[in-house]
């Protein structure tokens, strides 16, 4: 189940799971130097979360529906293209009207599948559609000749500062037994 944490809640969880909490209150220690543990942990949290947004299974993250924001245009070669939605960090699923299944997402423009899309004989079609995900533009191979409409377009949105939405199973700790 996807849960939402604030920055302070994430920091408290991170401190607990790494053994920095609970603090001992039965002694007095005074220091005038030291490492800013909270700053280090916040950086570690942000790096971990960024990695999760890019690689974790979408079912364990918060998925955003961008379908209503997109209007594809047909290219002269029969393919379609659409601008990448603002704030969409990672494309999760694309389906066009007339496709028999969701499109195969391809992010490497030098891959064999990506290069095959330049040939009308080898490119994806309604049975085996291919979606080339670029930085700014998304190419859709290939919608039926009579229709060019996106039915489903979902993705992982860029995170809002100080808000973390994910399934607890993604946490990089062995277990919650320490809690």
């Amino acid at each position: 189940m996807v849960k939402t944490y604030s920055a302070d809640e994430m920091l408290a969880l991170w401190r607990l799971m790494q053994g920095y909490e609970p603090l001992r209150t039965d002694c007095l220690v005074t220091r005038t130097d030291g490492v800013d543990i909270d700053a280090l942990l916040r950086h570690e949290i942000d790096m971990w979360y960024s990695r999760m947004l890019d690689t974790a299974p979408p079912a364990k993250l918060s998925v955003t529906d961008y379908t209503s924001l997109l209007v594809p245009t047909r290219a002269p070669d029969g393919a379609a293209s659409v601008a990448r939605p603002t704030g969409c960090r990672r494309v999760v699923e694309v389906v066009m009207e007339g496709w028999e299944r969701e499109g195969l997402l391809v992010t490497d423009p030098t891959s064999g599948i990506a290069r095959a899309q330049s040939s009308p004989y080898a490119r994806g079609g309604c049975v085996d559609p291919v979606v080339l995900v670029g930085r700014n533009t998304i190419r859709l191979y290939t919608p039926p000749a009579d229709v060019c409409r996106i039915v489903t377009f979902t993705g992982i949105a860029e995170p809002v500062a100080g808000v973390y939405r994910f399934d607890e199973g993604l946490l990089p700790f062995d277990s919650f037994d320490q809690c």
Side-chain angles (χ1 to χ4, degrees):
M1 179 173 85
V2 175
K3 294 179 76 176
T4 302
Y5 296 89
S6 70
D8 289 338
E9 290 170 331
M10 276 299 290
L11 181 61
L13 179 62
W14 223 258
R15 289 178 68 84
L16 176 66
M17 297 307 293
Q18 291 194 0
Y20 295 110
E21 295 283 342
L23 296 175
R24 290 189 56 187
T25 58
D26 61 341
C27 62
L28 178 64
V29 176
T30 303
R31 289 207 46 146
T32 57
D33 67 334
V35 176
D36 185 353
I37 295 294
D38 285 354
L40 290 173
L41 291 177
R42 286 184 195 279
H43 178 71
E44 186 177 312
I45 290 166
D46 288 342
M47 297 303 292
W48 167 82
Y49 190 55
S50 181
R51 206 169 37 255
M52 288 305 102
L53 291 175
D54 293 338
T55 62
K60 295 193 175 283
L61 298 168
S62 178
V63 177
T64 303
D65 187 352
Y66 294 98
T67 307
S68 64
L69 305 175
L70 304 175
V71 178
T73 57
R74 190 175 295 275
D77 66 356
S81 65
V82 67
R84 188 180 192 130
T86 303
C88 181
R89 179 185 186 102
R90 173 177 151 200
V91 177
V92 171
E93 180 184 21
V94 179
V95 179
M96 292 195 77
E97 188 172 326
W99 284 1
E100 293 183 17
R101 65 174 187 86
E102 68 183 70
L104 172 67
L105 300 175
V106 178
T107 57
D108 179 4
T110 63
S111 70
I113 293 174
R115 290 190 320 239
Q117 303 317 300
S118 62
S119 167
Y121 304 106
R123 75 172 45 142
C126 294
V127 175
D128 290 314
V130 175
V131 178
L132 293 182
V133 181
R135 180 178 300 220
N136 299 315
T137 304
I138 297 168
R139 298 274 295 173
L140 309 157
Y141 294 95
T142 303
D146 58 338
V147 66
C148 188
R149 187 175 76 82
I150 294 176
V151 175
T152 304
F153 192 110
T154 60
I156 306 297
E158 286 291 347
V160 176
V163 178
Y164 303 88
R165 291 183 48 84
F166 62 92
D167 184 289
E168 286 180 332
L170 292 177
L171 286 168
F173 309 111
D174 290 337
S175 70
F176 281 99
D177 295 338
Q178 301 173 40
C179 297

